[in-house]
Amino acid sequence: MKVSITIPTYNRSQYISQAIESAINQSYKDIEIIVIDNCSTDNTEELVNHFQDKGVKYIKNHTNIGMMGNWNRCIEVSTGELLMILGDDDILYPNFIEESVSIFEKHPNIGFTFTHINKVDKDGKPLTKWGYKFTPAGLIKGRDYLLDTAKYSSCLTNSSSVLINKEVFKKIGIFEAPLSQNTFDFNMWIKIANSYDVYFIDKVLSDYRIHEEQVSEIHWRDKKRHTGKLGTYIELFQLASYLLKKKEIRRDEKDYESIINQIAI
């Protein structure tokens, strides 16, 4: 199965080389690596061009189309059966793709796989695991992923830990922000789980870098703004809508009450 590792980027010259190197060093070799530059004004292009002899493809947008628009470009330009959207400041462990593809070989109709991921500081020093609650390991029914998301009232999945079946986009569409601009990735995991089963690999297989310039700093760690939390709450209402349309949920009093109680909180 061919895998597309796409790296959407904007002015991330400090970290982009490490992200690319981690993609090149994958033990699984049937991959393409594409960097989609959202009109950077730093030396990103120069750095990426150093990897041309490694087969890394570089695409530069004519104008800045926003973060979500650039993620959708990843879908558009990739040619693999499976898609990874790797943060330009994050790092994959060498066996990430191999471990993830092995699950699709056993379960070809799932929507996505996801793994544990470590938080690291700007210098790559480990801090802690990302997230504090996770689903059980293994194959997860889509409705159960949604129920766990409602239970913990948070996004259980980090994009740099996800490998996506590209077939899902034909059914559910591309990334969009109908409810909140800063949670379009969370919105996608919810939409996929509403139509597909997913799989959790209970291993740390990538690093998520914490630093002052990342988008999460604006939406989650700025004490004067609470856009991240607010966006999450709004997405949870959409999730509840999906769940309450499922007949098996409406018939299960325990699940029904759980949804009502969690979303009400």
Side-chain angles (χ1 to χ4, degrees), residues 177-212:
L179 303 174
S180 174
Q181 188 67 34
N182 67 81
T183 54
F184 64 85
D185 55 338
F186 187 20
N187 179 271
M188 177 60 77
W189 316 143
I190 291 171
K191 287 196 301 183
I192 294 176
N194 188 48
S195 298
Y196 296 86
D197 295 337
V198 301
Y199 197 104
F200 176 46
I201 302 171
D202 192 9
K203 299 179 181 179
V204 174
L205 294 177
S206 53
D207 286 341
Y208 172 67
R209 197 186 303 269
I210 305 297
H211 59 92
E212 293 180 353

Side-chain angles (χ1 to χ4, degrees), residues 156-171:
L156 306 178
T157 304
N158 183 295
S159 59
S160 286
S161 75
V162 177
L163 189 61
I164 308 171
N165 181 350
K166 273 197 73 177
E167 285 294 313
V168 306
F169 300 116
K170 295 178 182 178
K171 181 174 183 178

Side-chain angles (χ1 to χ4, degrees), residues 69-123:
N70 212 25
W71 282 39
N72 283 326
R73 282 280 282 156
C74 293
I75 299 172
E76 177 186 346
V77 303
S78 58
T79 63
E81 300 164 76
L82 305 173
L83 172 66
M84 163 123 212
I85 300 178
L86 175 63
D88 57 3
D89 46 6
D90 296 335
I91 296 174
L92 295 179
Y93 293 9
N95 58 334
F96 177 93
I97 297 296
E98 182 177 4
E99 294 255 7
S100 302
V101 169
S102 70
I103 302 304
F104 278 99
E105 290 173 342
K106 298 173 184 175
H107 305 281
N109 296 320
I110 60 174
F112 64 80
T113 60
F114 64 111
T115 76
H116 270 305
I117 185 169
N118 266 347
K119 285 183 178 180
V120 299
D121 67 14
K122 62 183 180 64
D123 299 315

Side-chain angles (χ1 to χ4, degrees), residues 17-60:
S17 294
Q18 294 178 54
I20 295 172
E21 287 171 354
S22 76
I24 292 171
N25 292 331
Q26 289 300 296
S27 58
Y28 188 85
K29 298 305 179 183
D30 189 7
I31 63 174
E32 65 175 359
I33 303 169
I34 309 173
V35 177
I36 304 97
D37 185 351
N38 210 8
C39 251
S40 292
T41 57
D42 61 7
N43 63 330
T44 290
E45 183 172 0
E46 177 186 352
L47 291 171
V48 178
N49 284 337
H50 289 160
F51 295 97
Q52 282 187 338
D53 61 340
K54 301 291 186 180
V56 177
K57 184 177 180 180
Y58 175 76
I59 297 173
K60 187 169 186 176

